Coordinates of all heavy atoms in Angstrom, one line a residue:
M1 N -11.5 17.8 7.2 CA -10.3 16.9 7.0 C -9.5 16.8 8.3 O -9.1 17.9 8.8 CB -9.5 17.3 5.8 CG -8.3 16.4 5.7 SD -7.2 16.9 4.3 CE -6.2 18.1 5.0
D2 N -9.3 15.7 8.8 CA -8.4 15.5 10.0 C -7.0 15.5 9.6 O -6.5 14.6 9.0 CB -8.8 14.2 10.7 CG -8.0 14.0 12.0 OD1 -7.3 14.9 12.4 OD2 -8.2 12.9 12.6
S3 N -6.3 16.6 9.8 CA -4.9 16.8 9.3 C -3.9 15.8 9.9 O -2.9 15.6 9.3 CB -4.5 18.2 9.6 OG -4.4 18.5 11.0
E4 N -4.3 15.2 11.0 CA -3.3 14.2 11.6 C -3.3 12.9 10.7 O -2.3 12.2 10.8 CB -3.8 13.8 13.0 CG -3.7 15.0 14.0 CD -4.1 14.6 15.4 OE1 -4.4 13.4 15.6 OE2 -4.3 15.5 16.2
N5 N -4.3 12.7 10.0 CA -4.4 11.5 9.2 C -3.9 11.7 7.7 O -3.9 10.7 6.9 CB -5.8 10.9 9.2 CG -6.1 10.4 10.6 OD1 -5.3 9.9 11.3 ND2 -7.4 10.5 10.9
Y6 N -3.5 12.9 7.4 CA -3.2 13.2 6.0 C -1.8 13.8 5.9 O -1.4 14.6 6.8 CB -4.2 14.1 5.3 CG -5.5 13.4 5.0 CD1 -6.5 13.4 6.0 CD2 -5.7 12.9 3.8 CE1 -7.7 12.8 5.7 CE2 -6.9 12.2 3.5 CZ -7.9 12.2 4.4 OH -9.1 11.6 4.1
I7 N -1.1 13.5 4.9 CA 0.3 14.1 4.7 C 0.3 14.7 3.3 O -0.2 14.0 2.3 CB 1.3 13.0 4.8 CG1 1.3 12.5 6.3 CG2 2.7 13.5 4.4 CD1 2.2 11.3 6.5
Q8 N 0.8 15.9 3.2 CA 0.8 16.5 1.8 C 1.9 15.8 1.0 O 3.1 15.7 1.4 CB 1.1 18.0 2.0 CG 1.1 18.7 0.7 CD 1.4 20.2 0.8 OE1 1.4 20.7 2.0 NE2 1.5 20.9 -0.3
I9 N 1.6 15.4 -0.2 CA 2.5 14.6 -1.0 C 3.7 15.4 -1.4 O 4.8 14.9 -1.3 CB 1.7 14.1 -2.3 CG1 0.8 13.0 -2.0 CG2 2.7 13.7 -3.4 CD1 1.4 11.7 -1.6
E10 N 3.5 16.6 -1.7 CA 4.7 17.4 -2.2 C 5.7 17.6 -1.0 O 6.9 17.4 -1.3 CB 4.2 18.8 -2.6 CG 5.2 19.6 -3.4 CD 4.6 20.9 -4.0 OE1 3.6 20.8 -4.7 OE2 5.1 22.0 -3.6
L11 N 5.3 17.8 0.2 CA 6.2 17.9 1.3 C 6.8 16.6 1.6 O 8.0 16.5 1.9 CB 5.5 18.4 2.6 CG 5.0 19.8 2.5 CD1 4.2 20.2 3.8 CD2 6.2 20.8 2.4
Y12 N 6.0 15.5 1.5 CA 6.6 14.1 1.8 C 7.7 13.9 0.8 O 8.8 13.4 1.1 CB 5.5 13.1 1.7 CG 6.1 11.7 1.7 CD1 6.4 11.1 2.8 CD2 6.2 11.0 0.5 CE1 7.0 9.8 2.9 CE2 6.8 9.7 0.5 CZ 7.1 9.1 1.7 OH 7.7 7.9 1.7
C13 N 7.4 14.1 -0.5 CA 8.4 13.8 -1.6 C 9.7 14.7 -1.4 O 10.8 14.2 -1.6 CB 7.8 14.1 -2.9 SG 6.6 12.8 -3.4
E14 N 9.5 15.9 -1.0 CA 10.6 16.8 -0.7 C 11.5 16.3 0.4 O 12.7 16.3 0.3 CB 10.1 18.2 -0.4 CG 11.2 19.3 -0.3 CD 10.5 20.6 -0.1 OE1 9.7 21.1 -0.9 OE2 10.9 21.2 1.0
Q15 N 10.9 15.9 1.5 CA 11.6 15.5 2.7 C 12.3 14.1 2.5 O 13.3 13.9 3.1 CB 10.7 15.5 3.9 CG 10.3 16.8 4.3 CD 9.3 16.8 5.5 OE1 8.8 15.8 5.9 NE2 9.0 18.0 6.0
T16 N 11.6 13.2 1.7 CA 12.2 11.9 1.6 C 12.9 11.7 0.3 O 13.4 10.6 0.0 CB 11.1 10.8 1.6 OG1 10.1 11.1 0.6 CG2 10.4 10.9 3.0
Q17 N 13.0 12.8 -0.5 CA 13.6 12.7 -1.8 C 13.0 11.7 -2.7 O 13.7 11.0 -3.5 CB 15.1 12.6 -1.7 CG 15.8 13.7 -1.0 CD 17.3 13.5 -0.8 OE1 17.8 12.4 -0.9 NE2 17.9 14.6 -0.4
T18 N 11.7 11.5 -2.6 CA 11.0 10.6 -3.5 C 10.5 11.4 -4.7 O 9.8 12.4 -4.5 CB 9.8 10.0 -2.7 OG1 10.2 9.4 -1.5 CG2 9.0 9.0 -3.6
P19 N 10.7 10.9 -5.9 CA 10.2 11.7 -7.1 C 8.7 11.7 -7.1 O 8.0 10.7 -6.9 CB 10.8 10.9 -8.3 CG 11.8 10.0 -7.7 CD 11.5 9.7 -6.3
L20 N 8.2 12.9 -7.5 CA 6.7 13.0 -7.7 C 6.2 12.1 -8.8 O 5.1 11.6 -8.7 CB 6.4 14.5 -8.0 CG 6.3 15.4 -6.8 CD1 6.1 16.9 -7.3 CD2 5.1 15.1 -5.9
E21 N 7.1 11.8 -9.8 CA 6.7 10.9 -10.8 C 6.3 9.5 -10.3 O 5.5 8.8 -10.8 CB 7.7 10.8 -11.9 CG 8.0 12.1 -12.6 CD 8.9 13.1 -11.9 OE1 9.6 12.7 -10.9 OE2 8.8 14.3 -12.2
F22 N 7.1 9.1 -9.2 CA 6.8 7.8 -8.6 C 5.4 7.8 -8.0 O 4.7 6.8 -8.1 CB 7.9 7.5 -7.5 CG 7.6 6.3 -6.7 CD1 7.8 5.0 -7.3 CD2 7.2 6.3 -5.4 CE1 7.5 3.9 -6.7 CE2 6.9 5.2 -4.7 CZ 7.1 3.9 -5.3
I23 N 5.0 8.9 -7.4 CA 3.6 9.0 -6.8 C 2.6 8.9 -7.9 O 1.6 8.2 -7.8 CB 3.5 10.3 -6.0 CG1 4.5 10.3 -4.8 CG2 2.0 10.4 -5.5 CD1 4.4 9.2 -3.8
D24 N 2.9 9.5 -9.1 CA 2.0 9.5 -10.2 C 1.9 8.0 -10.7 O 0.8 7.6 -11.1 CB 2.6 10.3 -11.4 CG 2.5 11.8 -11.1 OD1 1.7 12.2 -10.2 OD2 3.2 12.6 -11.7
D25 N 3.0 7.3 -10.7 CA 2.9 5.8 -11.1 C 2.1 5.1 -10.1 O 1.3 4.2 -10.5 CB 4.3 5.2 -11.1 CG 5.2 5.8 -12.2 OD1 4.6 6.4 -13.2 OD2 6.4 5.6 -12.2
L26 N 2.2 5.3 -8.8 CA 1.4 4.6 -7.8 C -0.1 4.9 -8.0 O -1.0 4.0 -7.9 CB 1.8 5.1 -6.4 CG 3.1 4.7 -5.9 CD1 3.4 5.2 -4.5 CD2 3.3 3.2 -5.9
L27 N -0.4 6.2 -8.4 CA -1.8 6.5 -8.7 C -2.3 5.8 -9.9 O -3.5 5.4 -10.0 CB -2.0 8.0 -8.8 CG -1.8 8.8 -7.5 CD1 -1.7 10.3 -7.7 CD2 -2.9 8.5 -6.5
E28 N -1.5 5.8 -10.9 CA -1.9 5.1 -12.2 C -2.2 3.7 -12.0 O -3.1 3.2 -12.6 CB -0.7 5.3 -13.2 CG -1.0 4.7 -14.5 CD 0.2 4.8 -15.5 OE1 1.0 5.8 -15.4 OE2 0.3 4.0 -16.4
F29 N -1.4 3.0 -11.1 CA -1.7 1.6 -10.8 C -2.7 1.4 -9.7 O -2.9 0.3 -9.2 CB -0.4 0.9 -10.6 CG 0.4 0.5 -11.8 CD1 1.3 1.5 -12.3 CD2 0.2 -0.7 -12.5 CE1 2.0 1.2 -13.5 CE2 0.9 -1.0 -13.6 CZ 1.8 0.0 -14.1
E30 N -3.2 2.5 -9.2 CA -4.2 2.5 -8.1 C -3.7 1.7 -6.9 O -4.4 1.0 -6.2 CB -5.5 1.8 -8.6 CG -6.2 2.6 -9.7 CD -7.4 2.0 -10.2 OE1 -7.8 0.9 -9.8 OE2 -8.1 2.6 -11.1
M31 N -2.4 2.0 -6.5 CA -1.8 1.4 -5.3 C -2.0 2.3 -4.1 O -1.9 1.8 -3.0 CB -0.3 1.2 -5.6 CG -0.1 0.1 -6.6 SD 1.7 -0.2 -6.8 CE 1.7 -1.2 -8.3
I32 N -2.3 3.5 -4.3 CA -2.6 4.5 -3.2 C -3.8 5.3 -3.6 O -4.2 5.4 -4.8 CB -1.4 5.4 -2.8 CG1 -1.1 6.3 -4.0 CG2 -0.3 4.5 -2.3 CD1 -0.1 7.4 -3.6
E33 N -4.4 6.0 -2.6 CA -5.5 6.9 -2.9 C -5.1 8.3 -2.3 O -4.4 8.3 -1.3 CB -6.8 6.4 -2.2 CG -7.3 5.1 -2.7 CD -8.5 4.6 -1.8 OE1 -9.0 5.4 -1.0 OE2 -8.8 3.4 -2.0
V34 N -5.5 9.3 -3.0 CA -5.1 10.7 -2.5 C -6.4 11.5 -2.5 O -7.4 11.2 -3.1 CB -4.1 11.3 -3.5 CG1 -2.8 10.6 -3.4 CG2 -4.6 11.4 -4.9
Q35 N -6.2 12.6 -1.8 CA -7.3 13.6 -1.7 C -6.7 15.0 -2.2 O -5.6 15.3 -1.8 CB -7.8 13.8 -0.3 CG -8.5 12.6 0.3 CD -9.9 12.8 0.5 OE1 -10.3 13.9 0.9 NE2 -10.7 11.8 0.1
Q36 N -7.5 15.7 -3.0 CA -7.0 17.0 -3.5 C -7.8 18.0 -2.7 O -9.1 18.0 -2.8 CB -7.1 17.2 -5.0 CG -6.6 18.5 -5.4 CD -6.5 18.6 -6.9 OE1 -6.7 17.6 -7.6 NE2 -6.2 19.8 -7.4
I37 N -7.1 18.9 -2.0 CA -7.8 20.0 -1.3 C -7.0 21.3 -1.5 O -5.8 21.3 -1.3 CB -7.8 19.7 0.2 CG1 -8.5 18.3 0.5 CG2 -8.4 20.8 1.0 CD1 -8.4 17.8 1.9
E38 N -7.8 22.2 -2.1 CA -7.2 23.5 -2.4 C -5.9 23.4 -3.2 O -4.9 23.9 -2.9 CB -7.0 24.3 -1.2 CG -8.2 24.6 -0.4 CD -8.0 25.4 0.9 OE1 -6.9 25.8 1.1 OE2 -8.9 25.5 1.6
N39 N -6.0 22.7 -4.3 CA -4.8 22.5 -5.2 C -3.6 21.8 -4.7 O -2.5 21.8 -5.2 CB -4.4 23.8 -5.9 CG -5.5 24.5 -6.7 OD1 -6.3 23.7 -7.3 ND2 -5.5 25.8 -6.7
K40 N -3.8 21.2 -3.5 CA -2.7 20.4 -2.9 C -3.2 18.9 -2.8 O -4.4 18.7 -2.5 CB -2.3 20.9 -1.6 CG -1.7 22.3 -1.7 CD -1.2 22.8 -0.4 CE -0.6 24.2 -0.7 NZ 0.0 24.8 0.4
I41 N -2.3 18.0 -3.0 CA -2.6 16.6 -2.9 C -2.1 16.0 -1.6 O -1.0 16.2 -1.2 CB -2.0 15.8 -4.1 CG1 -2.6 16.4 -5.4 CG2 -2.3 14.4 -4.0 CD1 -1.9 15.9 -6.7
Y42 N -3.0 15.3 -1.0 CA -2.8 14.7 0.3 C -3.0 13.2 0.2 O -3.8 12.7 -0.5 CB -3.7 15.2 1.4 CG -3.5 16.7 1.7 CD1 -4.1 17.7 1.0 CD2 -2.6 17.1 2.8 CE1 -3.9 19.0 1.2 CE2 -2.4 18.4 3.0 CZ -3.1 19.4 2.3 OH -2.9 20.7 2.6
V43 N -2.2 12.4 1.1 CA -2.4 11.0 1.2 C -2.6 10.7 2.6 O -2.1 11.3 3.5 CB -1.1 10.3 0.6 CG1 0.1 10.5 1.5 CG2 -1.3 8.8 0.5
Q44 N -3.4 9.6 2.9 CA -3.7 9.2 4.2 C -2.4 8.6 4.8 O -1.6 7.9 4.1 CB -4.8 8.2 4.3 CG -6.1 8.8 4.1 CD -7.3 7.8 4.2 OE1 -7.1 6.6 4.1 NE2 -8.5 8.4 4.4
S45 N -2.1 8.8 6.1 CA -0.9 8.4 6.7 C -0.6 6.9 6.6 O 0.5 6.5 6.5 CB -0.8 8.9 8.1 OG -1.9 8.3 8.9
H46 N -1.7 6.1 6.6 CA -1.5 4.6 6.5 C -0.9 4.2 5.1 O -0.4 3.1 5.0 CB -2.8 3.9 6.8 CG -3.9 4.0 5.8 ND1 -3.9 3.2 4.7 CD2 -4.9 4.8 5.8 CE1 -5.0 3.6 4.0 NE2 -5.6 4.5 4.7
F47 N -1.0 5.0 4.1 CA -0.4 4.7 2.8 C 1.1 4.9 2.8 O 1.8 4.5 1.9 CB -1.0 5.5 1.7 CG -2.4 5.0 1.3 CD1 -3.5 5.7 1.5 CD2 -2.5 3.7 0.7 CE1 -4.8 5.3 1.1 CE2 -3.7 3.2 0.3 CZ -4.9 4.0 0.5
I48 N 1.7 5.7 3.8 CA 3.1 6.0 3.7 C 4.0 4.7 3.8 O 4.9 4.6 3.0 CB 3.5 6.9 4.9 CG1 2.7 8.3 4.7 CG2 5.0 7.1 5.0 CD1 3.1 9.0 3.5
S49 N 3.6 3.8 4.6 CA 4.4 2.6 4.7 C 4.4 1.8 3.4 O 5.3 1.2 2.9 CB 4.0 1.7 5.8 OG 2.6 1.3 5.7
E50 N 3.2 1.8 2.7 CA 3.0 1.2 1.4 C 3.9 1.9 0.3 O 4.5 1.3 -0.5 CB 1.6 1.2 1.0 CG 1.3 0.4 -0.2 CD 1.4 -1.1 -0.1 OE1 1.7 -1.6 1.0 OE2 1.2 -1.8 -1.1
I51 N 3.9 3.2 0.4 CA 4.7 4.0 -0.6 C 6.2 3.7 -0.4 O 6.9 3.4 -1.3 CB 4.5 5.5 -0.4 CG1 3.1 5.9 -0.8 CG2 5.5 6.3 -1.1 CD1 2.7 7.3 -0.4
E52 N 6.6 3.6 0.9 CA 8.0 3.3 1.2 C 8.4 1.9 0.7 O 9.5 1.6 0.2 CB 8.3 3.5 2.6 CG 8.3 5.0 3.0 CD 8.3 5.3 4.5 OE1 8.2 4.3 5.3 OE2 8.5 6.5 4.8
R53 N 7.5 0.9 1.0 CA 7.7 -0.5 0.6 C 7.9 -0.6 -0.9 O 8.8 -1.2 -1.4 CB 6.6 -1.4 1.1 CG 6.8 -2.9 0.8 CD 5.6 -3.7 1.3 NE 4.4 -3.4 0.5 CZ 4.2 -4.0 -0.7 NH1 5.0 -4.8 -1.2 NH2 3.1 -3.7 -1.4
I54 N 7.0 0.0 -1.6 CA 7.0 -0.1 -3.1 C 8.2 0.6 -3.6 O 8.8 0.2 -4.6 CB 5.7 0.5 -3.7 CG1 4.5 -0.5 -3.2 CG2 5.8 0.6 -5.2 CD1 3.2 0.1 -3.6
Y55 N 8.6 1.8 -3.0 CA 9.7 2.5 -3.5 C 11.0 1.7 -3.3 O 11.9 1.7 -4.2 CB 9.8 3.9 -2.8 CG 10.9 4.8 -3.4 CD1 10.7 5.3 -4.7 CD2 12.0 5.1 -2.7 CE1 11.6 6.1 -5.3 CE2 12.9 6.0 -3.2 CZ 12.8 6.5 -4.5 OH 13.7 7.3 -5.1
R56 N 11.1 1.0 -2.2 CA 12.3 0.1 -2.0 C 12.3 -1.0 -3.0 O 13.4 -1.3 -3.6 CB 12.3 -0.4 -0.6 CG 12.8 0.5 0.5 CD 13.0 -0.2 1.8 NE 11.9 -1.0 2.3 CZ 10.9 -0.5 3.0 NH1 10.8 0.7 3.3 NH2 9.9 -1.3 3.4
L57 N 11.2 -1.6 -3.3 CA 11.1 -2.7 -4.3 C 11.6 -2.1 -5.7 O 12.4 -2.8 -6.4 CB 9.7 -3.2 -4.5 CG 9.2 -4.1 -3.4 CD1 7.7 -4.4 -3.5 CD2 10.0 -5.4 -3.3
R58 N 11.2 -0.9 -6.0 CA 11.5 -0.4 -7.3 C 13.0 0.1 -7.4 O 13.7 -0.2 -8.3 CB 10.6 0.8 -7.6 CG 10.8 1.4 -9.0 CD 9.6 2.2 -9.4 NE 9.8 2.8 -10.7 CZ 9.0 3.6 -11.3 NH1 7.9 4.0 -10.6 NH2 9.2 4.0 -12.5
K59 N 13.4 0.8 -6.3 CA 14.7 1.4 -6.4 C 15.8 0.4 -6.1 O 16.8 0.3 -6.8 CB 14.8 2.5 -5.3 CG 16.1 3.3 -5.4 CD 16.1 4.4 -4.4 CE 17.5 5.1 -4.4 NZ 17.7 6.0 -3.3
D60 N 15.6 -0.4 -5.0 CA 16.7 -1.3 -4.6 C 16.7 -2.6 -5.4 O 17.8 -3.1 -5.7 CB 16.5 -1.7 -3.1 CG 16.7 -0.5 -2.2 OD1 17.2 0.6 -2.6 OD2 16.3 -0.6 -1.0
L61 N 15.6 -3.1 -5.8 CA 15.5 -4.3 -6.5 C 15.3 -4.2 -8.0 O 15.4 -5.1 -8.8 CB 14.5 -5.3 -5.9 CG 14.7 -5.7 -4.5 CD1 13.5 -6.5 -4.0 CD2 16.0 -6.4 -4.3
G62 N 15.0 -3.0 -8.4 CA 14.8 -2.7 -9.8 C 13.5 -3.3 -10.4 O 13.5 -3.6 -11.6
I63 N 12.5 -3.5 -9.6 CA 11.3 -4.1 -10.1 C 10.4 -3.0 -10.7 O 10.2 -2.0 -10.1 CB 10.5 -4.9 -9.0 CG1 11.4 -6.0 -8.4 CG2 9.2 -5.5 -9.5 CD1 10.8 -6.6 -7.2
N64 N 9.9 -3.3 -11.9 CA 9.1 -2.2 -12.5 C 7.7 -2.2 -11.9 O 7.3 -3.1 -11.1 CB 9.0 -2.4 -14.0 CG 8.4 -3.7 -14.5 OD1 7.7 -4.4 -13.7 ND2 8.6 -4.1 -15.7
M65 N 6.9 -1.2 -12.3 CA 5.6 -1.1 -11.6 C 4.6 -2.2 -12.0 O 3.8 -2.6 -11.1 CB 4.9 0.3 -12.0 CG 5.6 1.5 -11.5 SD 5.8 1.5 -9.7 CE 4.1 1.7 -9.2
E66 N 4.8 -2.8 -13.2 CA 3.9 -3.9 -13.5 C 4.3 -5.1 -12.6 O 3.4 -5.9 -12.2 CB 4.1 -4.3 -15.0 CG 3.5 -3.3 -16.0 CD 4.5 -2.1 -16.2 OE1 5.6 -2.1 -15.7 OE2 4.0 -1.2 -17.0
G67 N 5.6 -5.3 -12.4 CA 6.0 -6.4 -11.5 C 5.5 -6.2 -10.1 O 5.1 -7.1 -9.4
I68 N 5.6 -5.0 -9.6 CA 5.2 -4.7 -8.2 C 3.6 -4.9 -8.1 O 3.2 -5.4 -7.1 CB 5.6 -3.2 -7.9 CG1 7.1 -3.1 -7.7 CG2 4.9 -2.8 -6.6 CD1 7.6 -1.7 -7.6
D69 N 2.9 -4.5 -9.1 CA 1.5 -4.7 -9.2 C 1.1 -6.2 -9.1 O 0.3 -6.6 -8.3 CB 0.9 -4.1 -10.4 CG -0.6 -4.0 -10.4 OD1 -1.2 -3.7 -9.3 OD2 -1.3 -4.3 -11.4
T70 N 1.9 -7.0 -9.8 CA 1.7 -8.4 -9.8 C 2.0 -9.0 -8.4 O 1.3 -9.8 -7.8 CB 2.5 -9.1 -10.8 OG1 2.2 -8.6 -12.1 CG2 2.4 -10.6 -10.8
L71 N 3.1 -8.5 -7.8 CA 3.5 -9.0 -6.5 C 2.4 -8.6 -5.4 O 2.1 -9.4 -4.6 CB 4.8 -8.3 -6.0 CG 6.1 -8.9 -6.6 CD1 7.3 -8.0 -6.3 CD2 6.3 -10.3 -6.2
N72 N 1.9 -7.4 -5.5 CA 0.8 -7.0 -4.6 C -0.4 -7.9 -4.7 O -1.0 -8.3 -3.7 CB 0.4 -5.5 -4.9 CG 1.4 -4.6 -4.3 OD1 2.2 -4.9 -3.4 ND2 1.4 -3.3 -4.8
H73 N -0.8 -8.2 -5.9 CA -1.9 -9.1 -6.1 C -1.7 -10.5 -5.6 O -2.5 -11.1 -4.9 CB -2.4 -9.2 -7.6 CG -3.0 -8.0 -8.1 ND1 -4.2 -7.5 -7.7 CD2 -2.6 -7.0 -9.0 CE1 -4.5 -6.4 -8.3 NE2 -3.6 -6.1 -9.1
M74 N -0.4 -11.0 -5.8 CA -0.1 -12.3 -5.2 C -0.1 -12.3 -3.7 O -0.5 -13.2 -3.0 CB 1.3 -12.7 -5.8 CG 1.3 -13.1 -7.2 SD 2.9 -13.4 -7.9 CE 3.5 -14.7 -6.9
L75 N 0.5 -11.2 -3.1 CA 0.5 -11.1 -1.6 C -0.9 -11.0 -1.1 O -1.2 -11.6 0.0 CB 1.3 -9.9 -1.2 CG 2.8 -10.0 -1.3 CD1 3.5 -8.6 -1.1 CD2 3.3 -11.0 -0.4
E76 N -1.8 -10.3 -1.7 CA -3.2 -10.2 -1.3 C -3.8 -11.6 -1.3 O -4.6 -12.0 -0.4 CB -4.0 -9.3 -2.2 CG -3.7 -7.8 -1.9 CD -4.4 -6.9 -2.9 OE1 -5.3 -7.4 -3.6 OE2 -4.0 -5.7 -3.0
K77 N -3.6 -12.4 -2.4 CA -4.1 -13.7 -2.5 C -3.6 -14.6 -1.4 O -4.3 -15.4 -0.8 CB -3.8 -14.3 -3.9 CG -4.5 -15.6 -4.1 CD -4.4 -16.0 -5.5 CE -5.2 -17.3 -5.8 NZ -5.3 -17.7 -7.2
V78 N -2.3 -14.6 -1.1 CA -1.6 -15.4 -0.1 C -2.3 -15.0 1.3 O -2.6 -15.9 2.1 CB -0.1 -15.2 -0.1 CG1 0.5 -15.7 1.2 CG2 0.5 -15.8 -1.3
N79 N -2.5 -13.7 1.5 CA -3.1 -13.3 2.8 C -4.5 -13.8 3.0 O -4.9 -14.3 4.0 CB -3.1 -11.8 2.9 CG -1.7 -11.2 3.2 OD1 -0.8 -11.9 3.7 ND2 -1.4 -10.0 2.8
R80 N -5.3 -13.8 1.9 CA -6.6 -14.3 1.9 C -6.6 -15.8 2.2 O -7.4 -16.3 3.0 CB -7.4 -14.0 0.6 CG -7.9 -12.6 0.5 CD -8.9 -12.5 -0.7 NE -8.4 -13.0 -1.9 CZ -7.8 -12.3 -2.8 NH1 -7.5 -11.0 -2.6 NH2 -7.4 -12.8 -4.0
L81 N -5.7 -16.5 1.5 CA -5.6 -18.0 1.7 C -5.2 -18.3 3.2 O -5.6 -19.3 3.8 CB -4.6 -18.6 0.7 CG -5.1 -18.6 -0.7 CD1 -4.0 -19.0 -1.7 CD2 -6.3 -19.5 -0.9
E82 N -4.2 -17.5 3.7 CA -3.8 -17.7 5.1 C -5.0 -17.5 6.1 O -5.2 -18.3 7.0 CB -2.7 -16.8 5.5 CG -1.4 -17.2 4.9 CD -0.2 -16.2 5.1 OE1 -0.5 -15.1 5.5 OE2 0.9 -16.6 5.0
Q83 N -5.8 -16.5 5.8 CA -7.0 -16.3 6.6 C -8.0 -17.5 6.5 O -8.5 -17.9 7.5 CB -7.7 -15.0 6.2 CG -7.0 -13.7 6.6 CD -7.7 -12.5 6.1 OE1 -8.5 -12.6 5.2 NE2 -7.4 -11.4 6.8
E84 N -8.1 -18.0 5.3 CA -9.0 -19.1 5.1 C -8.5 -20.3 5.9 O -9.3 -21.1 6.5 CB -9.1 -19.4 3.6 CG -10.2 -20.5 3.3 CD -10.3 -20.7 1.8 OE1 -10.0 -19.8 1.0 OE2 -10.8 -21.8 1.5
V85 N -7.2 -20.6 5.8 CA -6.6 -21.7 6.5 C -6.8 -21.6 8.1 O -7.2 -22.5 8.7 CB -5.1 -21.8 6.2 CG1 -4.4 -22.8 7.2 CG2 -4.9 -22.3 4.8
R86 N -6.6 -20.3 8.6 CA -6.9 -20.1 10.0 C -8.3 -20.4 10.4 O -8.6 -21.0 11.4 CB -6.5 -18.7 10.4 CG -5.0 -18.5 10.8 CD -4.8 -17.1 11.4 NE -5.1 -16.0 10.6 CZ -4.2 -15.5 9.7 NH1 -3.0 -16.1 9.5 NH2 -4.5 -14.5 8.9
L87 N -9.2 -19.9 9.5 CA -10.6 -20.1 9.8 C -11.0 -21.6 9.8 O -11.7 -22.1 10.7 CB -11.5 -19.4 8.7 CG -13.0 -19.6 8.8 CD1 -13.6 -19.0 10.0 CD2 -13.7 -19.1 7.5
L88 N -10.4 -22.3 8.8 CA -10.7 -23.8 8.7 C -10.1 -24.5 9.9 O -10.7 -25.5 10.4 CB -10.2 -24.3 7.4 CG -11.0 -23.8 6.2 CD1 -10.2 -24.3 4.9 CD2 -12.4 -24.3 6.2
R89 N -8.9 -24.1 10.3 CA -8.3 -24.8 11.5 C -9.1 -24.5 12.7 O -9.2 -25.4 13.6 CB -6.9 -24.2 11.7 CG -5.8 -24.8 10.8 CD -4.4 -24.4 11.2 NE -3.5 -25.0 10.3 CZ -2.3 -24.5 10.0 NH1 -1.9 -23.3 10.6 NH2 -1.5 -25.1 9.2
N90 N -9.6 -23.3 12.9 CA -10.5 -23.0 14.1 C -11.7 -23.9 14.0 O -12.2 -24.3 15.1 CB -10.8 -21.5 14.1 CG -9.6 -20.7 14.5 OD1 -8.7 -21.1 15.1 ND2 -9.7 -19.4 14.1
R91 N -12.3 -24.1 12.9 CA -13.5 -24.9 12.8 C -13.1 -26.4 13.1 O -13.9 -27.1 13.7 CB -14.1 -24.8 11.4 CG -14.8 -23.6 11.1 CD -15.4 -23.6 9.7 NE -16.0 -22.3 9.4 CZ -16.5 -22.0 8.2 NH1 -16.5 -22.9 7.2 NH2 -17.1 -20.9 8.0
L92 N -12.0 -26.8 12.7 CA -11.6 -28.2 13.0 C -11.3 -28.5 14.5 O -11.5 -29.6 14.9 CB -10.3 -28.6 12.2 CG -10.5 -28.9 10.7 CD1 -9.2 -29.1 10.0 CD2 -11.4 -30.1 10.5
T93 N -10.9 -27.5 15.2 CA -10.6 -27.7 16.6 C -11.9 -28.0 17.4 O -11.9 -28.7 18.4 CB -10.0 -26.4 17.3 OG1 -10.9 -25.3 17.1 CG2 -8.7 -26.1 16.7
I94 N -13.1 -27.7 16.8 CA -14.3 -28.0 17.4 C -14.5 -29.6 17.5 O -15.0 -30.2 18.4 CB -15.5 -27.4 16.7 CG1 -15.5 -25.9 16.8 CG2 -16.8 -28.0 17.2 CD1 -16.5 -25.2 15.9
Y95 N -14.0 -30.2 16.4 CA -14.2 -31.7 16.3 C -13.0 -32.5 16.9 O -13.1 -33.7 16.9 CB -14.3 -32.0 14.8 CG -15.5 -31.3 14.2 CD1 -15.3 -30.3 13.3 CD2 -16.8 -31.8 14.4 CE1 -16.4 -29.6 12.7 CE2 -17.9 -31.1 13.9 CZ -17.7 -30.1 13.0 OH -18.8 -29.4 12.5
E96 N -12.0 -31.8 17.4 CA -10.9 -32.6 17.9 C -11.1 -33.1 19.3 O -10.5 -34.0 19.8 CB -9.6 -31.7 17.9 CG -9.1 -31.5 16.5 CD -7.8 -30.6 16.5 OE1 -7.5 -29.9 17.5 OE2 -7.2 -30.5 15.4
Y97 N -12.1 -32.5 20.0 CA -12.3 -32.9 21.4 C -13.5 -33.8 21.5 O -14.4 -34.2 21.1 CB -12.5 -31.7 22.3 CG -11.3 -30.8 22.3 CD1 -11.3 -29.6 21.7 CD2 -10.2 -31.2 23.0 CE1 -10.2 -28.8 21.7 CE2 -9.1 -30.4 23.0 CZ -9.1 -29.2 22.4 OH -8.0 -28.4 22.4

């Protein structure tokens, strides 16, 4: 395991005052992936920004996990559609000249 790419969940929660129950909710909704090594749970560092974004939605805006899950699916769909629009625009530029 490359320790630079993993952060121990328990230490992260302790340092950021994020409840461990919140991490359990994220796992239940499959919003993050973790690795268990020697009875300790680790998360890849790229998930930290996702954890923080979701925690702000929940804490600051009061959105429940079901609502956040729905928002995530909608954002994924919007991103896919934006990529498709870019692809189609690039194809159209071939015919503009």
